[in-house]
Amino acid sequence: MKPGGKKPGLLSGFFSGIKENVSLLLDPVSAGAALQAEDFPLLPLRDLVLFPQTVVPLFITYLPGMIALEQAIARDNRLFAACLKKHERITDEDEPCSTGTVVRIIQHLKLPDNTYRVVLQGEYRGTITALNSQNGLSMVRVEPLKITGLSDPLNTEDLGLMRSLQKSFVQYAEYSKKINTDTLSAAERTENPERLANLICNASYLKSGQKTELLGMADTRERLLAILETLERENEIYSVQKNISGKVRSRIDRHQREYILHEQLKEINKELGKDKIEDEFALLEKSIAEKSPPTEVIAKTSKEIARLRKLQPLSPEAGVLRGYLEWISDLPWSGSSVDSGDLAEAGKILDEDHFGMRKAKDRILEFIAVRQLLSWGMGNGEQGTGIVDKTEESSTPSPQSPVPSPQSPVPSPQSIKGPILCFIGPPGTGKTSLGKSVARALGRRFVRISLGGVRDEAEIRGHRKTYVGALPGKIIQSMRKAGTVNPVFLLDEIDKLSSDFRGDPASALLEVLDPEQNSTFQDHYLEVPFDLSRVLFITTANSLHTIPYPLLDRMEIIEVPGYGENEKLAIAKQFLVPKELRENGLSESKIIFKDDAIRDIIRYWTMESGVRGLEREIARCIRRIARHAVNKGYGSDKPVTSFGKTLTPKILEKLLGRRKHKNDVVYKEAHIGVTYGLAWTETGGTILPVETLRYEGGGELLITGNLGDVMKESASIALSYLRSVKERYNFDVKNLNKTDFHIHVPEGAIPKDGPSAGITLASSLLSTLCRKPPLPGVAMTGELTLTGRILPIGGLKEKLLAAVRNKMVKVLLPKDNREEWNELDKDIREAIQVEFVENADEVFSLLFDEEISKKP
């Protein structure tokens, strides 16, 4: 029940006497021991709690209240007012709270509609002990609440509590702006704790549940503390609310001011005749038009700019559209760089930056040559030839054909689709740096994207621009960085892509790396096609096995094999040593690396196919020398102006420490059951020693060394083949069914798999069966079939380099690998002796003496 307000006419003077009744509150009603339990009519209230020593006007419009009021007027003008527990609606079934206030009727007025307007004064708090309802009238037995908790007179602690409460109430009144001055003055002047509590609870705008709880507290000290805590919490809420409101208001005021100033500036410019001044939207349209984008892009951006004009400048959607249009304007839609047509100069640049890599260099020079021929053919007006047929557009543009860009004077080469090259090879062979050299040789911009660990499709295709913080994918971002439509684009470590619930980035690359589709590549953020057909894509990988086949099928594979010892020596002398001297401040010194010293670093401190480890070891040597040079006074204000040192094999261990690699897996002498295979890994080739033992048992084959399923199958094939040809060889075993074999490949922590160890396993088993050691210093590779054929293998160069590093004398290779052998560099072919074999019998005859074979 809400207090009534001032009404005109009949009610105009009704509440005029309320102010006079406030004076009655100056002498609070005592809740002493003289008060006894009494019976009162129950005045049920909804969302309203009355307190002692307060005067409240009410409108009584519901039947239970009117019956109770009439009963009280007939008795002694006293009621018991209690808030209902259920206050959705007032009925006879509603249960009142157990605590309420005994009130006296000061004034009452019955209106024509039989409702009442009354003024009630609270006397004291009480608790219902009995309830009797009959004919709509509820009579309650009320026992006065026994008040405790404060001493008389008040001690300093209680006085301090009251003053804190009065101070908090004053602050509450300042925040709420709803407390009248009479109530505030009465609260500040009172020295009675009960009266102070009643005044504050009645005046505060709290929920009825909170007020009921405060009304029922008998301990005055606890009641004052609870009221103080409630007021402090309300004050804190008001303070935070006021702070937030102030910030929001200032922000709105600032935005409104900026908007008004912008509008005024427009009108001023019109009056001054400067209405043609380019605004932000005009600048966007101009910058986009200057890039000569396709018609579809112009239509899309025009629509978005029209939307942007209608939005408030600082609205979130305006920020999204502005960022989108800025991306469109920053992208290179037509500008391209002119390719170098000088084959000799391009070849010179490639040779300056990298040693070897003939296949990769030849492919780049072929690309330059084709572009030069096409440019020459179009310049001489040749049409209908094989050269012109390879282009997508005719030399004479039709009326519907787009006019060639003024930035590209020769149109036909621009229509050549960029090849998709994939450099495959071990780490440290220069695949990534080769991409930079290709760009330099062509005269193009160079951009690089590392794909290692990328697992989100949005990294390639971008996010929808509706997302917060959306951006285009790495492809479009790099195109903006390049600034031309025909850069050299390096996708590094493409075999290290992964996928999860966010999508498969390898699948997203299918469109990028397809020459037939990438002319209409569509990024999710741009929502318009972007032409990638003129980009020269170069990808790098260490292994083909982890690249999905559909992606691999779109690329031209160029192998970048590991380096031999002579190649590493040349690279170190021409590239690595000068680079490290320059980077370590010794370029002007006279430091000389002897060839023998570099070879020892290659053999004993590095074991790799590339030259990254070799570069680190050379850098270590030079840093140690740099420290010695500074101690000698070189590079300081001292008169020492020159410094020189020659590195020989004798001083390497002083600079680099003990040797790291000693080829311990290879025995210098022959051992029964020990043969050496050759394996390919992502880091290059390696020696694969195989050891076999036999002992009495039940014909079982035990295989250890962390081998894969394919290699285990190769061991079973080797044993089955030897069982089938036991009549040809002098086995030292009478019954193979009662002999067990244990094959072990050392370095068991390293996983090993593949079929090319088949002949190596068979040779190790034969050595054990015949108890004859194979010739020392012989390595072999090849897949063995059940009929004894030796099938060709891959990774030939890496395997041969591993044999050379481990000082093998001879290598047995499958006959079908002869052509690949002939294509290898001369220094590798001269470094080791090779025998080509076609079946297992040829291998056994070269590996063992004639005593193992039975005479016919």
Side-chain angles (χ1 to χ4, degrees), residues 15-29 52-57 106-107 119-122 180-187 189-190 195 199 202:
F15 296 108
S16 61
I18 297 177
K19 187 172 183 180
E20 287 76 4
N21 285 293
V22 175
S23 61
L24 298 174
L25 304 179
L26 297 177
D27 296 321
V29 179
Q53 305 157 18
T54 59
V55 174
V56 179
I106 302 300
Q107 292 182 8
V119 177
L120 302 178
Q121 177 187 351
N180 61 60
T181 56
D182 292 336
T183 304
L184 186 60
S185 298
R189 290 196 307 269
T190 185
R195 182 166 182 261
L199 282 174
N202 182 70

Side-chain angles (χ1 to χ4, degrees), residues 471-598:
L471 285 173
K474 288 181 177 291
I475 303 298
I476 297 299
Q477 291 183 36
S478 299
M479 290 302 297
R480 183 178 75 165
K481 180 181 178 182
T484 62
V485 296
N486 62 339
V488 174
F489 215 111
L490 180 68
L491 301 177
D492 212 3
E493 307 292 352
I494 197 171
D495 58 329
K496 306 300 189 301
L497 286 171
S498 57
S499 61
D500 60 8
F501 64 92
R502 289 168 289 189
D504 184 5
S507 300
L509 281 174
L510 294 178
E511 183 182 6
V512 177
L513 298 182
D514 192 337
E516 301 298 329
Q517 300 180 30
N518 60 13
S519 61
T520 57
F521 172 72
Q522 190 157 350
D523 188 274
H524 288 160
Y525 183 84
L526 296 185
E527 298 177 347
V528 290
F530 190 88
D531 187 5
L532 297 175
S533 61
R534 302 180 192 178
V535 179
L536 174 57
F537 284 101
I538 297 177
T539 65
T540 68
N542 298 131
S543 172
L544 294 176
H545 306 301
T546 54
I547 303 177
Y549 180 76
L551 186 60
L552 188 64
D553 185 58
R554 287 162 166 78
M555 298 185 290
E556 180 180 345
I557 305 302
I558 297 178
E559 292 187 0
V560 182
Y563 298 112
E565 187 175 292
N566 292 335
E567 291 175 313
K568 289 183 179 180
L569 176 62
I571 291 171
K573 293 172 65 177
Q574 296 179 26
F575 300 99
L576 302 183
V577 172
K579 174 187 174 183
E580 294 302 327
L581 288 173
R582 184 171 58 254
E583 292 183 355
N584 289 280
L586 293 174
S587 57
E588 302 297 328
S589 63
K590 298 178 182 179
I591 296 177
I592 300 173
F593 279 76
K594 290 289 187 180
D595 289 359
D596 292 344
I598 298 176

Side-chain angles (χ1 to χ4, degrees), residues 67-257:
I67 294 174
L69 185 64
E70 292 173 352
Q71 181 67 21
I73 294 171
R75 291 165 55 106
D76 57 354
N77 287 335
R78 299 171 73 198
L79 295 161
F80 184 73
C83 187
L84 295 174
K85 292 183 178 179
K86 297 180 180 179
H87 40 265
E88 290 83 3
R89 60 188 182 90
I90 298 179
T91 63
D92 293 339
E93 290 78 16
D94 287 333
E95 180 183 355
C97 295
S98 59
T99 304
T101 304
V102 175
V103 298
R104 181 180 297 276
I105 303 172
I106 302 300
Q107 292 182 8
H108 67 277
L109 176 63
K110 188 173 184 179
L111 301 178
D113 59 355
N114 293 326
T115 59
Y116 284 91
R117 303 297 186 259
V118 298
V119 177
L120 302 178
Q121 177 187 351
E123 293 188 350
Y124 62 91
R125 295 181 287 164
T127 305
I128 298 175
T129 58
L131 172 64
N132 182 20
S133 299
Q134 188 176 3
N135 298 327
L137 175 64
S138 297
M139 295 296 295
V140 292
R141 184 75 172 174
V142 177
E143 183 176 336
L145 195 67
K146 296 181 180 180
I147 300 172
T148 61
L150 292 181
S151 61
D152 190 14
L154 299 176
N155 56 33
T156 55
E157 183 179 354
D158 296 335
L159 289 173
L161 177 59
M162 287 184 61
R163 290 180 183 177
S164 298
L165 185 56
Q166 289 169 335
K167 182 179 178 181
S168 183
F169 183 60
V170 170
Q171 187 177 6
Y172 176 79
E174 292 177 357
Y175 279 133
S176 65
K177 307 294 184 183
K178 297 178 181 180
I179 309 299
N180 61 60
T181 56
D182 292 336
T183 304
L184 186 60
S185 298
E188 289 180 330
R189 290 196 307 269
T190 185
E191 297 179 358
N192 185 282
E194 273 295 309
R195 182 166 182 261
L196 177 63
N198 292 328
L199 282 174
I200 292 176
C201 289
N202 182 70
S204 300
Y205 289 84
L206 305 175
K207 293 182 180 180
S208 59
Q210 290 178 286
K211 288 191 174 184
T212 302
E213 184 179 355
L214 295 173
L215 181 67
M217 299 180 70
D219 190 313
T220 305
R221 181 180 288 110
E222 294 295 332
R223 189 183 185 202
L224 293 177
L225 287 172
I227 297 172
L228 179 61
E229 181 181 354
T230 302
L231 288 181
E232 289 294 335
R233 182 167 59 250
E234 292 295 323
N235 289 339
E236 183 67 24
I237 294 173
Y238 274 122
S239 176
V240 174
Q241 184 179 0
K242 182 178 179 181
N243 188 24
I244 294 174
S245 299
K247 289 181 179 179
V248 173
R249 191 178 301 109
S250 64
R251 190 179 304 165
I252 293 174
D253 293 343
R254 186 176 68 254
H255 293 177
Q256 290 291 341
R257 181 172 176 271

Side-chain angles (χ1 to χ4, degrees), residues 136 167 308 360 370 431 443 458 463 550 604 635 696 699 711 715 736 815:
K167 182 179 178 181
L308 183 59
V370 169
K431 301 182 297 298
H463 303 83
Y604 305 120
E696 292 184 1
M711 199 164 179
L736 288 175
K815 190 174 182 180

